[in-house]
Amino acid sequence: MPYDLRILEHVVESSPTGIGVFRVNDFNDLKSIQYVYINRIILHEMRKTKEEVFGKYIHEVAPEAYEHEVGLQVIKTYRDVALFKGNINLGVVEYSNSEVAGLYDCSVHYMYDNYILLKLENVTDVEKEVKERTSDLVQKNNELEHFSYMASHDLQEPLNSLNMFVDLIQDIHSDNVNDELGEILNFVSESAKRMKKVTTTLLDYNRLGIESEIKRVDTKKIIEEVKLDLKQRIKKSNAKIYIQQDLPELKAYPTELRLLFQNLISNAIKFAKPKIVPEIHISVENKNGWTFSIRDNGIGMSLKENENIFSLFHRVDKSSDIDGSGIGLAHCKKITELHNGKIWVDSIEGKGSTFHFNINT
Ligand code: ADP
């Protein structure tokens, strides 16, 4: 064998990725599929030797694959790829027989004529580790949520007392408080109020979804109500809101869904470009559940901000005169997750933003 071919054979044989070549002899007969070549790693997974596999039919070597739902799906994929001359990525599939059991990342590629190539990777350990880490993270997240709920809840009372006593001192001594003491009391009072606002916001965040139940809601009605609530702001900014006809009825947490629309619509008005009338388009598509989009012609934001803005207390421009606390979008994220959905934004700085979210309840 020429040197180049020997190297090539060595590379394929010792590749850590499983590689197999199959020939589909008759597209109408799934039992006509033959092993042509299988590299060492797949042979090891199959617990077979070359002699037991090369040139043989799948139904002779692994008849159980035809009785196994995933096995049959993989075999049909071989046929389809050979027939339609394409590639199919099967993703991670679970397979077990009397010899092996595991998770395999698997894709099938067209080669030529009736030949197809299988690429296979045993990802059992990786997937196991990911699962373990995810459940660890979920537990830590629950603990953190519980902690922030308790902290924000328990801080309400002392903060109320602090505010009350500062007001009381200011009242009692209103006649003989000198300027310096007055300033200090004002400072304490303002700080306590700010802290109260942060803890109440945190408490609201932690309470989302706890006290409500899923119901059938009419999204058109919800948006009309939100428009009524925002009447003053809409009037003041002259905002134009265009709403797609035929908004759906769906299952959702009514109060939370309303808060979601309210945050997104009020942000679309709030982050308008100076001297430009805000134009807001609300639309929906029946894709991945119901996917809603709220598009504005406002100030937009840079790409690097697109992900961060959904974190608690994150604001793009902290020094801006536009007021806010950086909580609205964190609420929106939690609400969409409550509805098994996601929220994301497409935005161009200086041109506008489109917020999308989906509801999958
Ligand atoms: P807040 O509005 O209180 O600052 P949010 O969580 O609602 O907090 O939003 C976080 C940040 O995301 C805002 O400070 C703003 O910079 C950016 N943002 C939100 N909505 C828009 C929008 N429609 N257009 C441009 N920027 C936006």
Side-chain angles (χ1 to χ4, degrees):
M1 190 190 296
Y3 178 69
D4 287 356
L5 273 185
R6 268 212 324 273
I7 297 243
L8 192 62
E9 188 189 9
H10 193 68
V11 168
V12 178
E13 264 302 286
S14 54
S15 161
T17 299
I19 295 169
V21 176
F22 294 80
R23 187 184 142 87
V24 182
N25 291 296
D26 177 354
F27 297 135
N28 295 315
D29 180 6
L30 290 177
K31 296 214 162 149
S32 74
I33 306 176
Q34 242 178 322
Y35 293 95
V36 177
Y37 168 81
I38 296 291
N39 74 346
R40 207 155 48 195
I41 192 118
I42 303 193
L43 281 174
H44 172 74
E45 287 292 338
M46 295 171 76
R47 312 286 189 265
K48 300 270 186 223
T49 61
K50 279 183 182 176
E51 293 67 33
E52 289 173 299
V53 175
F54 285 23
K56 302 272 177 12
Y57 291 94
I58 300 180
H59 75 90
E60 294 174 308
V61 179
E64 73 282 355
Y66 289 82
E67 275 125 48
H68 187 286
E69 194 189 332
V70 177
L72 197 59
Q73 184 201 356
V74 175
I75 290 167
K76 280 185 183 154
T77 306
Y78 295 164
R79 191 262 322 269
D80 293 346
V81 166
L83 184 59
F84 301 112
K85 305 183 178 11
N87 301 311
I88 294 183
N89 186 354
L90 286 162
V92 175
V93 297
E94 195 173 353
Y95 188 75
S96 60
N97 61 22
S98 53
E99 312 265 3
V100 292
L103 296 166
Y104 300 88
D105 189 10
C106 176
S107 61
V108 185
H109 308 260
Y110 180 69
M111 288 176 71
Y112 60 91
D113 295 342
N114 291 12
Y115 290 84
I116 56 112
L117 182 126
L118 164 72
K119 184 177 121 329
L120 194 78
E121 224 140 342
N122 187 333
V123 290
T124 315
D125 292 342
V126 182
E127 291 287 320
K128 210 171 127 204
E129 206 183 313
V130 170
K131 254 195 196 151
E132 278 169 10
R133 266 203 235 153
T134 313
S135 91
D136 238 31
L137 277 176
V138 167
Q139 197 192 335
K140 290 218 167 79
N141 201 30
N142 287 343
E143 280 167 17
L144 265 177
E145 282 204 359
H146 184 67
F147 169 76
S148 91
Y149 175 78
M150 292 311 285
S152 47
H153 181 264
D154 293 354
L155 278 172
Q156 299 295 308
E157 227 8 77
L159 277 170
N160 285 342
S161 310
L162 187 61
N163 274 321
M164 206 175 75
F165 284 120
V166 173
D167 287 348
L168 207 64
I169 297 175
Q170 278 173 328
D171 277 355
I172 295 173
H173 299 284
S174 59
D175 297 333
N176 53 0
V177 164
N178 62 33
D179 282 356
E180 197 184 352
L181 186 57
E183 218 173 279
I184 293 173
L185 285 176
N186 266 343
F187 182 75
V188 174
S189 160
E190 287 306 310
S191 304
K193 278 184 188 131
R194 267 206 309 279
M195 196 161 167
K196 169 91 183 148
K197 195 168 169 204
V198 171
T199 53
T200 321
T201 318
L202 261 182
L203 200 58
D204 290 346
Y205 178 81
N206 285 306
R207 273 188 187 138
L208 284 176
I210 287 185
E211 279 149 22
S212 56
E213 335 166 2
I214 292 201
K215 288 198 179 124
R216 215 161 171 84
V217 296
D218 181 351
T219 48
K220 183 174 170 6
K221 212 166 141 206
I222 289 193
I223 295 174
E224 287 306 331
E225 283 167 8
V226 169
K227 269 177 69 184
L228 265 182
D229 290 344
L230 298 175
K231 202 166 141 202
Q232 290 307 324
R233 284 207 217 172
I234 295 175
K235 200 168 159 206
K236 202 166 157 212
S237 61
N238 279 324
K240 305 226 164 344
I241 303 183
Y242 304 96
I243 304 167
Q244 181 189 308
Q245 297 292 316
D246 307 328
L247 289 178
E249 275 192 18
L250 43 81
K251 283 202 285 181
Y253 293 96
T255 318
E256 281 75 4
L257 189 64
R258 189 180 157 142
L259 182 64
L260 177 55
F261 278 113
Q262 180 161 324
N263 283 339
L264 294 178
I265 297 172
S266 69
N267 273 355
I269 300 174
K270 187 160 82 168
F271 296 100
K273 279 191 282 198
K275 301 199 183 95
I276 301 277
V277 171
E279 292 196 5
I280 303 160
H281 293 258
I282 303 175
S283 56
V284 64
E285 248 184 303
N286 193 352
K287 198 171 107 191
N288 300 328
W290 288 104
T291 303
F292 289 86
S293 302
I294 285 117
R295 171 160 60 91
D296 65 51
N297 58 343
I299 58 173
M301 70 195 83
S302 67
L303 198 61
K304 77 176 185 358
E305 292 296 346
N306 284 11
E307 294 248 319
N308 300 338
I309 53 168
F310 298 102
S311 325
L312 214 50
F313 302 123
H314 184 90
R315 306 202 66 217
V316 175
D317 182 2
K318 293 195 177 66
S319 61
S320 123
D321 335 324
I322 307 176
D323 70 324
S325 55
I327 188 83
L329 290 180
H331 269 158
C332 294
K333 182 163 185 273
K334 190 160 176 196
I335 294 170
T336 46
E337 283 166 3
L338 211 59
H339 291 90
N340 303 320
K342 283 199 172 136
I343 183 164
W344 67 102
V345 61
D346 294 323
S347 184
I348 302 177
E349 208 167 358
K351 293 244 182 254
S353 312
T354 308
F355 283 82
H356 311 271
F357 68 87
N358 48 19
I359 299 286
N360 262 313
T361 30

